[in-house]
Amino acid sequence: MKLPHKRRAERKDATARPEQRREPQRALRPGRRPRQRPGRRRAKSRGRAARKARRPLRPLIDFPRRGRRGRRRWTPSWKLTSGLFLLFAGGLAGLFAAVYAQVEIPDPHDSASRQGTVYYWADGSRMVSVGDVNRQDVKLSQVPESVQRAVIAAENADFYSDSGVSVAGIGRAAVNIVKGEETQGGSTITQQYVKNTYLSQEQTVERKIKELFLSLKVSNQRPKTEILEGYLNTSWFGRDAYGVQAAAYAYYGIPAKDLNPSQGALLAAVLKGAESFDPSLGPGNRQRAEDRWKWILDRQVATGSMSAAERARYTDFPEPKPPVKPTSQAGQTGYLVDIVNKYLKSRAGITGKDLAAGGYSIHTTFEKDKVQALAEAVEQVRAERLDPKKRPEDQDVQVGAASIRTGDGAIVAVYGGSDAVEHFTNNADTSGVPAASAFKPFVYAAALEQEPDGGKRPAESAAPDSAPDSPKPTPTGPTTESVKLHAGLVESDHTPFVESGKKTGLKKVKDLAVATGLREDSMAKLEPTFSIGTSTPSAVRLAGAYTAFVNHGRAVEPHSVTRAERNDAAVDGLERPKPRRAMSSETAATVSAALRQVSWSTVGPPQDQRNRLPSWAGKTGPNDRMNSAWFIGATPELSTSVAMFRTKPDVPQLLPMQGVGGPDSDRGSAFPPLIWKAYNESATPAATPAEAPRDRP
């Protein structure tokens, strides 16, 4: 008989859940873990917590990484990398927002407060002040839509949809500024408007950052039409013109409202840089301007702002009118300013836009009395020897001249033409006039450089104090080629120079000429005629190159500026050029002997017998068949070159010199020596024989 409590236990076991009854079988099945009782599970959890509590806490920034070895220890985890990136991005965004909130749009520049640029004579007296702002604001409604579209297509095609800035353009410019390289374009129209209206033109990182924030602010607060109107009224178009209205008058003599789409495309082209795209500034500019004009018209078709049918109507280049100098630059003043501005651009990196903005004080090398003396010498010979009313051959005659101090290369005087206001091209500093026989001394020097001792020097019968009617020097031991070249230079014979050029090598002749100061881009093709002067150096460069024969083989670089300041800060890059060795002193002495004989036989001794300084000269003669006449005369004080030629604005090539001044003028070659002599006797002070320097070996 079972006891009551045992019966209750059996009943309880019989009523147990099937899962509980099957639990022992499950625990015995292979591959399955027996279920832990709740007590064991809690014990295990308490064990893990205890072990975790005993572990040291990881730092917030796990670097170098714990538990890693080698390179992995020093490789940041992706959590650390992403966290730092988010932190940096958030901080940068916060800083950007804070700066943007604090930026206020300043007042526009007051154009009336701009200062002029003042040019001074060598003695410190004031020559001229230029740079008054030439601008007349117009409403956007007064600018044809075709002009607006041309500017937008050329400068910022997505102007109406962008945020006002080009981050890529700013970043590129900032990197280039830091690296000291030339900045590149890429600014939006809004950025350019902000720079023109509120900021300076300096290329610095600080200015670029200001430009970024102001451009965003302006783009958010001003309508695009207002920005475009401001940009068109403040942009620099060259020719001293700020704004589209002044540019329309400067290039076409009409108001902006009358510009046609073709003319508007050209004005949009010069926005890229008038120094490079104003077609009146040389054949290279002409080609660049035409190429960009075509591109802008095509660009409008590509962007949908002009139909292909309308584009097809504009096939002829819209030739602008010649530039006009302000009346303050009449006479020779405009030519002097032109030479100075070119020098500042090449040496100091100053742009035409910088100069037009004003504020510069520029001290030049020009001597007022010598400029006047050179102009008077030219006009005197023209009045006495040319008669354009009676001789058609005397019409369209041009003269260019330059006088350089032999010792240091300072340009003391130029004659660029009759009047800078009426005749825009600077005849003293333009290429295009063949040097002819005036180039022969460089061929002679190059040949001598290939021989020992410069081919030996002719006898001292060619000394500077020789009588003007003394016999030709008899060379003492020179080579046969030197004798031929010496005679050929004096007698204007081409044959020995053509032969010598072939023998010496035209490349060596060219290299020596460039070493004396002639520009590489004025050199002609290396053909047999190269040796007889097909190259076209300017009067300034040829006068500078002849100093090498006077200075015993050392050439001086022509310069026109002694110093310049802006806002009391000196402009860098204007240090006086140092003389450079162009040829040996022996070569210079040998060529000088022939050049002195040319001088005496051409112009004779000075009228003032006290002033019997030695002089060197190269010239063209009756055997030259080129359309130019040259005379380059040098003394220990001044090297002066004079060129005469004929040209018409609508004729691309030079006109013939045959018959200029009558049948006895040797194709006009008789006149440059007369100009040189009249100028030199006025500009060079008299010296006693004891003061006259003698030639040195």
Side-chain angles (χ1 to χ4, degrees), residues 293-518:
W293 166 77
K294 291 178 180 178
W295 177 83
I296 290 173
L297 291 174
D298 293 339
R299 176 73 171 163
Q300 292 182 71
V301 176
T303 57
S305 59
M306 177 182 285
S307 67
E310 183 181 4
R311 166 66 181 92
R313 295 203 296 266
Y314 306 116
T315 57
D316 295 331
F317 183 72
E319 199 72 50
K321 68 175 188 175
V324 177
K325 292 279 188 181
T327 55
S328 62
Q329 299 184 45
Q332 297 304 305
T333 303
Y335 303 125
L336 302 179
V337 170
D338 175 67
I339 288 178
V340 167
N341 290 349
K342 287 180 180 178
Y343 188 78
L344 289 171
K345 292 172 186 178
S346 64
R347 292 295 299 272
I350 295 175
T351 66
K353 186 176 182 179
D354 296 332
L355 292 169
Y360 288 93
S361 296
I362 303 169
H363 296 263
T364 76
T365 59
F366 303 124
E367 300 180 20
K368 188 175 183 179
D369 58 337
K370 290 183 173 59
V371 171
Q372 184 176 353
L374 186 55
E376 289 176 352
V378 173
E379 298 307 325
Q380 175 187 337
V381 172
R382 290 181 66 108
E384 293 177 353
R385 302 302 180 106
L386 300 180
D387 192 349
K389 293 182 179 180
K390 293 182 178 181
R391 274 193 300 267
E393 295 84 358
D394 291 356
Q395 297 174 2
D396 306 307
V397 172
Q398 297 290 334
V399 176
S403 186
I404 292 176
R405 202 155 53 220
T406 308
D408 61 4
I411 306 173
V412 298
V414 299
Y415 181 87
S418 57
D419 192 324
V421 175
E422 299 175 358
H423 177 73
F424 178 73
T425 303
N426 189 343
N427 295 341
D429 195 34
T430 185
S431 296
V433 183
S437 290
F439 188 79
K440 290 177 180 177
F442 306 111
V443 183
Y444 192 0
L448 294 174
E449 286 290 275
Q450 307 305 309
E451 302 178 8
D453 300 327
K456 295 186 179 180
R457 187 180 178 182
E460 286 300 319
S461 58
D465 54 355
S466 302
D469 56 353
S470 61
K472 297 179 182 179
T474 302
T476 57
T479 62
T480 303
E481 184 171 7
S482 178
V483 173
K484 291 181 179 180
L485 293 174
H486 183 102
L489 189 60
V490 174
E491 299 170 3
S492 191
D493 185 3
H494 294 339
T495 303
F497 289 92
V498 174
E499 295 175 350
S500 180
K502 293 179 181 179
K503 180 179 178 181
T504 304
L506 298 180
K507 177 66 165 56
K508 293 180 180 179
V509 175
K510 173 185 174 182
D511 291 344
L512 184 138
V514 171
T516 64
L518 301 187

Side-chain angles (χ1 to χ4, degrees), residues 575-592:
E575 299 79 11
R576 179 183 295 180
K578 296 181 179 180
R580 59 185 177 278
R581 174 65 62 185
M583 66 190 75
S584 68
S585 58
E586 293 81 7
T587 292
T590 303
V591 178
S592 291

Side-chain angles (χ1 to χ4, degrees), residues 118-133:
V118 183
Y119 298 79
Y120 296 91
W121 294 103
D123 62 3
S125 60
R126 180 168 169 156
M127 178 198 304
V128 67
S129 176
V130 300
D132 293 336
V133 176

Side-chain angles (χ1 to χ4, degrees), residues 40-50:
R40 291 186 179 182
R41 193 159 50 245
R42 286 194 297 270
K44 190 172 183 179
S45 298
R46 286 194 297 270
R48 282 198 302 267

Side-chain angles (χ1 to χ4, degrees), residues 88-134:
F88 174 77
L92 189 63
L95 177 63
F96 187 92
V99 174
Y100 179 84
Q102 294 180 0
V103 167
E104 294 183 0
I105 301 176
D107 294 331
H109 292 314
D110 183 7
S111 61
S113 66
R114 293 181 187 267
Q115 304 177 53
T117 291
V118 183
Y119 298 79
Y120 296 91
W121 294 103
D123 62 3
S125 60
R126 180 168 169 156
M127 178 198 304
V128 67
S129 176
V130 300
D132 293 336
V133 176
N134 175 24

Side-chain angles (χ1 to χ4, degrees), residues 322 396 398 423 647-652 655:
D396 306 307
Q398 297 290 334
H423 177 73
T647 183
K648 282 185 176 180
D650 55 344
V651 178
L655 302 176

